[in-house]
Amino acid sequence: MLELNRFPFRNRTRLITTKSHFFQIQQQFLKEVYKLLEWDIGVILSLKRTGIKREIIKKALTEEKCVSTKTSAADLVTETDHLVEDLIISELRKKFPSHRFIAEESTAAGEKCVLTDSPTWIIDPIDGTCNFVHRFPTVAVSIGFAVNQELEFGVIYHCTEERLYTGRRGQGAFCNEQRLRVSRETDLSKALVLTEIGPKRDPDTLKLFFSNMERLLHAKAHGVRVIGSSTLALCHLASGAADAYYQFGLHCWDLAAATVIIREAGGIVIDTSGGPLDLMSCRVVAAGTREMAMLIAQALQTINYGRDDEK
């Protein structure tokens, strides 16, 4: 395999003289990254190369944890979040020393969360930390990859069920090598909708959250579910087990990998306004069909969580 830390993509100002040449080098670069997706990301997620078995999260799930809070009493972090994030970044940095990283715990510690044109890995080391703290087994690791601010592929690993969800732009989405397909439902009165609460618990935010849920139930949706992991909820959407998802208060590391997987499974991921997705906006609507996505977006009242790139 080509060693990408020596790859001429980093020296494109000197080497690229035409747009076609640039395109060829970028495509070659992405092919090499895709090889990592196929051969190394599963290894990184299982943590075998560090000498730590992939059961690290499953094992920690059953043990006592040192728990801290971040933005609110419901926004939790554990030592395992930090450990898994450090392991993933260290393994990727060995192969791609020039790449950028956006990761949940690093951002919480003060690193800037800005998506540039540079190759960027977007990482959530444990999605569903509250579940993890309470030993509720809906827990995942999420890794997305973007170049030129375009999401190229995503990997989400359901730790307790050993399900590996993958999506690569233009190449489809899979769970343990089985092709994923979204629901084609367009009628909200026949839909199962997923959401998450978000970290804010002040009265005004909770009033809006429950009002949005009430609006969907008044529209005769079959049900609204909260499972405690936005990335796995989005994977359920990609697999056709649910028809729509919406949330205010999630982050780019919750969305990056899942967005590729849903789109490659045939679904739609948009802003809650009905416009194009803004990865840094802390809000999303996703569905199997555009009709369903627009029905959800039109029903929602906005809950303001600011932007990831302004925190």
Side-chain angles (χ1 to χ4, degrees):
M1 181 183 293
L2 184 63
E3 294 183 23
L4 288 183
N5 56 344
R6 300 178 185 172
F7 195 67
F9 184 87
R10 292 191 299 154
N11 300 319
R12 58 180 180 269
T13 302
R14 178 169 58 87
L15 294 175
I16 299 170
T17 56
T18 66
K19 288 184 178 180
S20 62
H21 188 196
F22 171 76
F23 180 77
Q24 289 171 3
I25 287 184
Q26 186 184 52
Q27 290 303 108
Q28 186 179 355
F29 168 81
L30 289 176
K31 284 179 181 178
E32 293 300 324
V33 173
Y34 294 151
K35 288 180 183 177
L36 270 193
L37 173 64
E38 295 164 3
W39 296 106
D40 286 351
I41 289 295
V43 177
I44 290 168
L45 289 176
S46 67
L47 306 179
K48 287 178 180 176
R49 288 196 173 179
T50 64
I52 300 174
K53 296 180 182 294
R54 66 183 176 181
E55 285 77 17
I56 182 172
I57 294 175
K58 290 175 67 176
K59 181 176 182 293
L61 192 68
T62 66
E63 297 174 341
E64 292 298 320
K65 304 166 186 69
C66 178
V67 183
S68 304
T69 59
K70 294 186 286 188
T71 62
S72 75
D75 191 7
L76 307 180
V77 61
T78 72
E79 70 276 19
T80 309
D81 293 80
H82 292 289
L83 172 62
V84 174
E85 181 172 302
D86 290 346
L87 287 167
I88 292 171
I89 291 176
S90 65
E91 286 297 313
L92 288 170
R93 189 164 274 148
K94 288 175 187 176
K95 287 187 172 291
F96 303 119
S98 66
H99 287 196
R100 298 187 72 253
F101 295 87
I102 295 174
E104 179 175 9
E105 307 315 331
S106 300
T107 301
E111 290 190 16
K112 293 295 184 182
C113 182
V114 179
L115 184 62
T116 69
D117 288 341
S118 299
T120 303
W121 300 87
I122 306 171
I123 300 162
D124 191 344
I126 298 182
D127 183 57
T129 299
C130 186
N131 288 349
F132 177 70
V133 167
H134 290 277
R135 304 180 184 180
F136 190 80
T138 307
V139 177
V141 179
S142 178
I143 302 175
F145 181 75
V147 179
N148 295 327
Q149 301 186 48
E150 291 287 339
L151 294 167
E152 293 291 340
F153 62 73
V155 180
I156 295 172
Y157 182 58
H158 190 324
C159 305
T160 58
E161 295 191 6
E162 298 187 2
R163 293 183 182 178
L164 184 66
Y165 295 88
T166 61
R168 170 180 161 186
R169 188 156 67 108
Q171 300 295 321
F174 301 85
C175 177
N176 291 353
E177 301 182 357
Q178 296 296 312
R179 189 77 181 239
L180 296 177
R181 300 286 187 188
V182 295
S183 159
R184 304 312 299 170
E185 186 58 67
T186 60
D187 186 347
L188 183 53
S189 70
K190 298 178 181 178
L192 180 64
V193 182
L194 305 179
T195 189
E196 292 297 329
I197 299 173
K200 288 185 179 180
R201 296 292 191 272
D202 61 276
D204 289 341
T205 297
L206 289 176
K207 184 177 179 179
L208 285 170
F209 173 79
F210 288 117
S211 175
N212 283 336
M213 187 178 288
E214 186 177 16
R215 286 173 175 229
L216 295 173
L217 293 174
H218 280 166
K220 310 296 186 187
H222 278 176
V224 180
R225 301 286 183 268
V226 176
I227 66 170
S229 166
S230 54
T231 59
L232 288 178
L234 290 162
C235 286
H236 287 313
L237 172 64
S239 70
D243 304 292
Y245 180 89
Y246 72 92
Q247 188 183 349
F248 297 92
L250 77 176
H251 298 280
C252 58
W253 45 81
D254 299 309
L255 266 178
T259 294
V260 183
I261 292 168
I262 290 170
R263 287 173 174 170
E264 290 303 313
I268 303 295
V269 187
I270 61 173
D271 185 74
T272 54
S273 67
L277 175 69
D278 180 346
L279 193 63
M280 295 292 166
S281 69
C282 299
R283 60 192 199 184
V284 70
V285 171
T289 62
R290 182 165 293 279
E291 294 91 337
M292 181 66 71
M294 294 306 297
L295 287 172
I296 299 291
Q298 290 162 10
L300 297 177
Q301 301 171 93
T302 297
I303 303 174
N304 184 16
Y305 272 88
R307 296 179 57 83
D308 280 334
D309 53 7
E310 293 178 354
K311 296 174 181 176

